[in-house]
């Protein structure tokens, strides 16, 4: 992994660098989602990365191997889990995150680069470390369509996570407030929606990043 230092600890990754985009489990400390990505842009204003089709990733599953989304909502977050390796199928995803912001914005395309939608993933602000970035997903999401219309997603999962004690009332209210702020950004059509990222394309010379064996390693130093 290539890293460009810009003075002391304030370093940025060069375009083409390969890093990990990870999520820790809710109510725990273990990493349960790890996705190798390629850096598109990294500076004081924005981190943009590309998740290529076919990338080997780590995802959570129930202990018996059942995909999480197939488990009834009432028991989805209480049954024992493990992780498994899988591949990101379908089209790739461009992920955009601004420092300190409690969400990231993902761009999805249909085959043939027909733009599909933006997806606002409410989460803890990204914590940077030498090998990538870490966060915790907050369940609640927003879909934003090319005509600028939008709608909430996964409200049922957010409510179930709250019932199951995976977040307390204070955190839940912070997540709701972050969602309201994101909606205001969408209505104002501010960045990154206004910046034309739907027309971006990956460098054809980029290879698909590999999943390192130590994908779950504990960062030695983390910064936000």
């Amino acid at each position: 992994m290539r890293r460009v230092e810009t003075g002391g600890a304030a370093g940025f990754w060069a375009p083409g660098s390969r890093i990990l985009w990870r999520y820790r489990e809710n109510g725990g400390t273990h990493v349960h989602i790890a996705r190798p990505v390629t850096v598109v842009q990294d500076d004081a204003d924005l981190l943009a990365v590309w998740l290529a089709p076919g990338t080997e990733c780590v995802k959570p599953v129930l202990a018996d191997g059942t995909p999480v989304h197939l488990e009834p909502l009432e028991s989805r977050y209480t049954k024992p889990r493990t992780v498994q390796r899988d591949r990101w199928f379908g089209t790739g995803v461009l992920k955009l995150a601004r420092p300190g912001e409690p969400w990231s914005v993902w761009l999805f395309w249909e085959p043939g680069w027909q733009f599909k939608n933006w997806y606002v993933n409410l989460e803890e602000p990204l914590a940077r470390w030498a090998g990538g970035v870490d966060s915790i997903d907050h369940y609640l999401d927003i879909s934003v369509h090319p005509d600028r219309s939008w709608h909430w997603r996964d409200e049922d999962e957010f409510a179930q996570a709250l019932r199951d004690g995976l977040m307390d009332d204070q955190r839940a209210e912070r997540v709701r407030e972050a969602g309201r702020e994101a909606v205001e950004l969408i209505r104002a059509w501010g960045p990154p929606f206004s910046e034309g990222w739907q027309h971006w394309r990956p460098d054809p010379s980029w290879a698909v990043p590999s999943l390192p064996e130590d994908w779950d390693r504990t960062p030695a130093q983390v910064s936000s």
Side-chain angles (χ1 to χ4, degrees), residues 28-106:
T29 59
H30 297 293
V31 173
H32 71 159
I33 294 173
R35 297 166 180 162
V37 294
T38 301
V39 174
V40 175
Q41 174 183 326
D42 185 33
D43 54 36
D45 298 317
L46 182 74
L47 172 63
V49 303
W50 172 241
L51 175 58
T55 301
E56 187 178 22
C57 303
V58 171
K59 68 176 185 180
V61 294
L62 298 187
D64 63 2
T66 300
V68 170
H69 71 277
L70 295 181
E71 179 66 21
L73 189 60
E74 293 73 19
S75 53
R76 186 173 301 174
Y77 302 123
T78 55
K79 283 195 172 180
R81 291 191 180 192
T82 185
V83 296
Q84 73 176 27
R85 292 175 178 241
D86 202 350
R87 292 195 178 272
W88 188 272
F89 290 104
T91 56
V93 182
L94 180 66
K95 298 187 176 190
L96 311 174
R98 296 191 293 185
E101 214 160 46
W103 63 75
S104 56
V105 178
W106 305 359

Side-chain angles (χ1 to χ4, degrees), residues 6-220:
T6 57
F12 297 106
W13 291 291
S17 300
R18 298 174 182 180
I19 64 173
L20 286 173
W21 185 293
R22 310 192 305 183
Y23 290 94
R24 299 187 303 279
E25 60 188 353
N26 291 79
T29 59
H30 297 293
V31 173
H32 71 159
I33 294 173
R35 297 166 180 162
V37 294
T38 301
V39 174
V40 175
Q41 174 183 326
D42 185 33
D43 54 36
D45 298 317
L46 182 74
L47 172 63
V49 303
W50 172 241
L51 175 58
T55 301
E56 187 178 22
C57 303
V58 171
K59 68 176 185 180
V61 294
L62 298 187
D64 63 2
T66 300
V68 170
H69 71 277
L70 295 181
E71 179 66 21
L73 189 60
E74 293 73 19
S75 53
R76 186 173 301 174
Y77 302 123
T78 55
K79 283 195 172 180
R81 291 191 180 192
T82 185
V83 296
Q84 73 176 27
R85 292 175 178 241
D86 202 350
R87 292 195 178 272
W88 188 272
F89 290 104
T91 56
V93 182
L94 180 66
K95 298 187 176 190
L96 311 174
R98 296 191 293 185
E101 214 160 46
W103 63 75
S104 56
V105 178
W106 305 359
L107 282 77
F108 291 86
W109 287 265
E110 302 283 4
W113 288 105
Q114 178 67 37
F115 182 62
K116 183 180 179 183
N117 67 281
W118 294 270
Y119 182 91
V120 180
N121 195 73
L122 296 173
E123 59 190 36
E124 287 290 317
L126 295 180
R128 299 169 66 101
W129 55 286
V133 291
D134 286 2
S135 182
I136 298 176
D137 183 76
H138 285 160
Y139 302 99
L140 194 60
D141 308 296
I142 307 169
S143 278
V144 185
H145 304 285
D147 65 0
R148 302 191 186 185
S149 64
W150 61 273
H151 67 270
W152 294 103
R153 294 178 59 106
D154 304 325
E155 292 172 282
D156 56 342
E157 294 189 357
F158 179 73
Q160 187 65 47
L162 189 56
R163 284 193 295 270
D164 290 337
L166 294 179
M167 65 173 70
D168 59 26
D169 290 339
Q170 287 184 325
R171 172 172 284 188
E173 183 50 39
R174 289 199 301 271
V175 174
R176 294 188 188 100
E177 177 59 27
R180 290 189 288 267
E181 292 175 3
V183 167
E184 289 305 308
L185 179 66
I186 294 164
R187 287 173 171 161
W189 209 244
F193 306 102
S194 59
E195 296 179 326
W197 283 101
Q198 64 271 31
H199 306 299
W200 173 87
R201 300 294 182 265
D203 187 328
S205 71
W206 287 346
V208 176
S210 58
L211 181 69
E213 289 298 323
D214 60 347
W215 57 266
D216 59 346
R217 66 190 180 276
T218 301

